[in-house]
Amino acid sequence: MGLVVQKYGGSSVADAERIKRVAERIVATRKAGDDVVAVVSAMGDTTDELIDLANQVSPVPPGRELDMLLTAGERISMALLAMAIHNLGFEARSYTGSQAGVITTSVHGRARIIDVTPGRLRGALDEGAVVIVAGFQGVAQDTKDVTTLGRGGSDATAAALAAALQADVCEIYTDVDGVFTADPRIVSNARMVKQITYEETLELAACGAKVLMPRCVEYARRYAVPIHVRSSYTLKSGSMVTGSMEDLPVEQALITGVAHDRGEAKITIVGVPDEPGEAARIFETVAGAEINLDMIVQNVSTVTTDPDSSRRLTDISFTLPQSDGPTAMTALARIQEKVGFRDLLYDDHVGKVSLVGAGMRSHPGVAATFFAALGEAGVNIEMISTSEIRVSVVCRDTDLDAAVRAVHAAFELGGDEEAVVYAGTGR
Amino acid sequence: MGLVVQKYGGSSVADAERIKRVAERIVATRKAGDDVVAVVSAMGDTTDELIDLANQVSPVPPGRELDMLLTAGERISMALLAMAIHNLGFEARSYTGSQAGVITTSVHGRARIIDVTPGRLRGALDEGAVVIVAGFQGVAQDTKDVTTLGRGGSDATAAALAAALQADVCEIYTDVDGVFTADPRIVSNARMVKQITYEETLELAACGAKVLMPRCVEYARRYAVPIHVRSSYTLKSGSMVTGSMEDLPVEQALITGVAHDRGEAKITIVGVPDEPGEAARIFETVAGAEINLDMIVQNVSTVTTDPDSSRRLTDISFTLPQSDGPTAMTALARIQEKVGFRDLLYDDHVGKVSLVGAGMRSHPGVAATFFAALGEAGVNIEMISTSEIRVSVVCRDTDLDAAVRAVHAAFELGGDEEAVVYAGTGR
């Protein structure tokens, strides 16, 4: 008898009917002989509705209270799920993040999991109960206040619990069948990837593939918990995320998949004095605003000379999540005089396409094929960034679909059948 | 600087606008120099909506999970209230029953408060914060599971916190101006009672007056916390519940008020063998079903003789909450053969009218005046029960309003002005 941690997102528990269906799936796993810990998000639009309520009483609600409010969402879904399982004749008990021992930092709205002390969960499992845990939430180690984990928090909860309980597998239920070679909504013959390493999954997730959150994969990799990505609408077997690149067989496929991201913006700082320390000052400012940059390019080709001071000038561009755009622009504008750059440009009509594959480490020709495919598709490349197992470019957002299709075809990633796309969005 | 515990019911926090108004009232108290602990119920119909959701997934939801679900209601209202206070420039922190140290028994759905350990609340008050606490909930001492306190639970939370924190006063905000000599919806010239003892308030509450719950008054009496009943819609001063009958001045008014109750039913057990132990067996059965009886009458006048066994038979009647009717009837039907009674009658078309007053202890004529007033009004008395400071009768429910008016007039309890009745119901 093993232990399975399952995570169900908000769309999987959106109403009473879906909750009952999830209960049936959990009971089926239980009947097959495994203990189950199920992590759930809030039902459907509950979180948005609660945020709306908060905004009705306060334009800028304090983080502690917003977390207290939002955690009511999972409390509702987890209790209902436990009731539905009970109704099928199985003992089930729900636990808040705090009760489940999910210990976090005290940064409200985006706390990080520091530790998991699952004593109560272990006790309930030992007594034969199915355990339901609220995703997305925990309790701050120092203040003992309730926290939320921010984006991808429920996936992170599942991976952290799986690690702490030494589960055999962490199943992430979503609205697609698994990890695909590209978004099936863009590439009709995208193929499901049956097995994929943590590293590749991390790169895909970081490049905009929505199926798994980076935090979840990081946790699973650190504690070597296999992640099984599956559809909550079918019984198909899905994708297994496991193993590191070192364990890969030699005949490993060159390329795993193509990811894309429409959620980034590009900021260009024009006319920065090309002197040691200036770039540092700029990125310290952005980091001070707690903004995570993605790609950074110093456009050496655009170096000019300031006619007044005869100092050499350069342009620096970087990408960041669109939601952080206003904060970053404000912070940068404040240091314009001190640094002495000429202008700040903001562009959110950009898209990013990335090619990920563990096999590309030993194949230097990959980038060339990638760029050639984009060129043939008439896609203009604005920025480039690479890692050991990834090549990414920024292009116009209007070129993004064409870019994804061209790259997917160039590396012959497609399967024979059309990929199935389900309605709804995952969380 | 004092400490005030305030309790706001569900109708007082039914939407964002009302929550903001409550926030203003709390801030006004704070500005006047007092520390504030505010106990809140769930917003308006939230509890009913959550119960509805529960019934969609399970016909008989397990108590532990139902409590987990329902406690989401106060979590939402308390976080919103804290935000609204924050928005007025005051620090406010919300705490669940568990965080506030409300320790209870583990009977889900109607847990009793065993102890209050308000360390975190005290700390927050010391730091100058307004403290908001979820009413109606606590944490079980043995299982550490979340519990709800059942009917009147938020009032009980407020009184218990006021006692534990040695507050100067516990203010219960409701939809009426205070405690009245009768329900103003029935008696148009009912008068507000400015001061009333715990004992009288307890009798009134037990007799169906909705303004205060018996559990709250019991707690306040035990720890000598003054309760101030006030309207959340006005700034009127309301009724003060304080002091015991022993402290009353000699010129104390004879009668405090008239209470009525439409929520009871009468069960009559016909043809019970008139032998020692039979009544005990019946009431043990009812107690075993955890039903609280109100009035009990053994109708001696109806003693008959069983023609078969020549045993003497008697009838026993008692009243109980209508909601417990089906359970009690089922439990009694099961012992019919064993006890050997003839029949079970159920009647929920009854009403109860009660006269309460600390002064009646030393005035034996009160009951006579009471019965005479009912007789003149043509009200037939079906059952009678008395305590040291109360006389109650059961009559037809259709006679109830006339009975209340007749008694109120007979004891000249009316004031000069018409009582104000607000829309909405308290919780």
Side-chain angles (χ1 to χ4, degrees), chain A residues 16 20 56-57 59 61-62 64-66 68 71 75-76 79 82-83 86-87 93-95 99 120 144-145, chain B residues 16 20 56-57 59 61-62 64-66 68 71-72 75 79 82-83 86-87 93-95 99 120 144-145:
Chain A
K20 286 193 225 173
Q56 284 177 41
V57 298
R64 180 190 187 279
E65 300 305 323
L66 193 57
M68 187 65 97
T71 49
R75 196 179 191 87
I76 293 170
M83 291 174 191
H86 232 269
N87 200 38
R93 290 180 216 160
S94 65
Y95 295 90
Q99 291 176 331
R120 285 183 75 176
K144 307 294 175 215
D145 285 332
Chain B
K20 286 192 225 173
Q56 284 177 41
V57 298
R64 180 190 186 280
E65 300 305 323
L66 194 58
M68 187 64 97
T71 49
R75 196 179 191 88
M83 290 175 192
H86 233 268
N87 201 38
R93 290 182 215 156
S94 65
Y95 295 90
Q99 291 176 332
R120 285 183 75 175
K144 308 293 175 213
D145 285 332

Side-chain angles (χ1 to χ4, degrees), chain A residues 8-33:
Chain A
Y8 296 94
S11 61
S12 300
V13 293
D15 55 37
E17 279 315 306
R18 292 204 191 171
I19 287 173
K20 286 193 225 173
R21 222 163 281 155
V22 167
E24 284 162 17
R25 195 180 268 269
I26 290 171
V27 164
T29 308
R30 190 74 185 67
K31 281 185 177 160

Side-chain angles (χ1 to χ4, degrees), chain B residues 191 200 248-256 357-360 413:
Chain B
R191 200 169 33 78
E200 290 165 300
L248 286 177
V250 182
E251 66 271 30
Q252 163 70 12
L254 191 65
I255 300 299
T256 307
M360 73 170 70
L413 297 174

Side-chain angles (χ1 to χ4, degrees), chain B residues 70-186:
Chain B
L70 295 184
T71 49
E74 294 88 40
R75 196 179 191 88
I76 293 171
S77 57
M78 73 181 191
L80 291 173
L81 181 55
M83 290 175 192
I85 292 170
H86 233 268
N87 201 38
L88 297 174
F90 281 76
E91 167 79 6
R93 290 182 215 156
S94 65
Y95 295 90
T96 63
S98 170
Q99 291 176 332
V102 179
I103 316 290
T104 72
T105 60
S106 58
V107 186
H108 287 290
R110 46 182 172 157
R112 298 269 141 187
I113 298 174
I114 299 172
D115 194 10
V116 179
T117 53
R120 285 183 75 175
L121 306 193
R122 180 64 76 191
L125 289 170
D126 288 348
E127 290 171 24
V130 171
V131 166
I132 316 292
V133 179
F136 181 70
Q137 56 176 251
V139 61
Q141 191 167 41
D142 48 0
T143 62
K144 308 293 175 213
D145 285 332
V146 168
T147 54
T148 65
L149 308 177
R151 202 155 170 261
S154 292
D155 287 8
T157 304
L161 285 177
L165 291 164
Q166 296 177 290
D168 297 288
V169 64
C170 175
E171 297 183 341
I172 304 285
Y173 285 89
T174 176
D175 57 352
V176 292
D177 283 342
V179 179
F180 278 80
T181 52
D183 187 334
R185 276 165 282 222
I186 295 179

Side-chain angles (χ1 to χ4, degrees), chain A residues 299-359:
Chain A
N299 299 1
V300 183
S301 62
T302 64
V303 168
T304 54
T305 306
D306 184 342
D308 299 333
S309 65
S310 74
R311 286 194 303 180
R312 280 163 53 88
L313 303 177
T314 184
D315 294 353
I316 296 176
S317 294
F318 60 86
T319 61
L320 76 175
Q322 280 167 13
S323 52
D324 287 339
T327 314
M329 288 296 278
T330 310
L332 288 169
R334 251 188 243 121
I335 59 160
Q336 177 160 11
E337 209 170 326
K338 201 157 89 187
V339 174
F341 58 80
R342 276 213 298 246
D343 208 357
L344 269 178
L345 306 177
Y346 184 74
D347 180 0
D348 57 5
H349 287 165
V350 296
K352 188 173 73 168
V353 57
S354 305
L355 187 68
V356 173

